[in-house]
Amino acid sequence: MKELEEKIRLEGKPLAGDVLNVTSFLNQQIDIAFLLRAAKEFYRLFQDENITKILTLEASGIPVATLTASVFGVPLVYVKKSRSSNLGSEVYTSRVRSYTQNRVFDITVGKDYLKDSDTVLIIDDFLANGAAANGLVDLIRQAGASLAGIGIVIEKGFQKGGDKLREKGIRVESLAIIEKISEDGIVFRGEES
Ligand code: 5GP
């Protein structure tokens, strides 16, 4: 998405540890009009897949996943990063290391919300090493549901999580793929010299 690449160049702030700060439109202040266009782009890409649920991991994936679920007209299920007592014991869990917090979480979803009859589209804000995405794929596998693919707003291609998922045969569609972040600026996939 050209508009997203321009927004990242204008508003993105590189931080230590190869983290890109996009709190002006994606991670704290939310640019709803822009994220709705991103959601419509996910719809264009996955509209023929008979999606029944959008799945994301709390918290930063929720805004874009909510808008995407609204465009598809299906429920959003957001997976919790802790065991919530109101989910009871009927849950699927998987272990995920958080990229930005460098902590391990037992991610959890109620069995009522992921069924073997579901066709699921995973939506998230970022894809780095792929830990979050792999955890969500694991929950879908435990439920016996079908995975239609993964839609990502910003993939950091140099961290290889996305390419490893593609090598496994999973369809990963990212609206922008960053290949390099340096003092000279940001290079997107396809722009490398
Ligand atoms: P992964 O699990 O693929 O290594 O990392 C993806 C998750 O970590 C995303 O859900 C996102 O919340 C967070 N994350 C990874 N890299 C970045 C980054 O550069 N900036 C921000 N804001 N979040 C990131």
Side-chain angles (χ1 to χ4, degrees):
M1 231 181 143
K2 221 45 236 151
E3 180 191 5
L4 172 60
E5 294 185 356
E6 281 161 16
K7 227 169 157 53
I8 293 169
R9 281 215 166 95
L10 267 173
E11 300 179 34
K13 297 189 186 85
L15 303 177
D18 282 327
V19 171
L20 183 69
N21 173 319
V22 283
T23 43
S24 69
F25 68 95
L26 187 61
N27 289 143
Q28 185 162 48
Q29 174 168 263
I30 307 295
D31 184 337
I32 302 280
F34 165 70
L35 280 196
L36 187 55
R37 289 193 287 281
K40 287 178 177 164
E41 181 62 8
F42 289 133
Y43 182 77
R44 190 185 68 77
L45 291 162
F46 289 101
Q47 62 184 328
D48 297 328
E49 302 292 334
N50 299 316
I51 308 291
T52 62
K53 294 249 164 90
I54 304 294
L55 192 71
T56 194
L57 181 59
E58 70 176 358
S60 57
I62 292 176
V64 65
T66 301
L67 292 167
T68 306
S70 171
V71 174
F72 275 87
V74 300
L76 162 72
V77 176
Y78 70 89
V79 171
K80 304 242 175 196
K81 274 191 179 148
S82 60
R83 267 178 182 275
S84 166
S85 54
N86 61 23
L87 284 177
S89 57
E90 289 296 291
V91 292
Y92 300 113
T93 67
S94 192
R95 199 148 260 216
V96 167
R97 174 169 290 279
S98 160
Y99 185 89
T100 42
Q101 295 173 42
N102 198 22
R103 273 176 56 196
V104 172
F105 292 92
D106 285 321
I107 66 168
T108 308
V109 68
K111 288 187 177 175
D112 283 347
Y113 309 120
L114 218 44
K115 299 280 187 195
D116 59 4
S117 53
D118 278 320
T119 301
V120 182
L121 173 62
I122 293 173
I123 295 286
D124 208 353
D125 60 339
F126 271 90
L127 178 59
N129 295 320
N134 276 300
L136 295 174
V137 170
D138 183 32
L139 298 179
I140 291 167
R141 188 192 51 76
Q142 288 179 44
S146 304
L147 172 65
I150 303 178
I152 298 291
V153 181
I154 304 175
E155 176 178 341
K156 292 185 291 180
F158 56 91
Q159 286 170 328
K160 300 294 170 217
D163 288 335
K164 284 189 190 144
L165 287 158
R166 291 182 186 99
E167 279 162 22
K168 284 198 227 169
I170 295 173
R171 181 176 174 198
V172 181
E173 299 280 2
S174 299
L175 304 185
I177 304 181
I178 297 175
E179 282 304 347
K180 198 168 161 203
I181 305 176
S182 74
E183 284 164 12
D184 302 330
I186 289 172
V187 178
F188 292 99
R189 187 165 287 184
E191 292 179 337
E192 306 97 310
S193 48

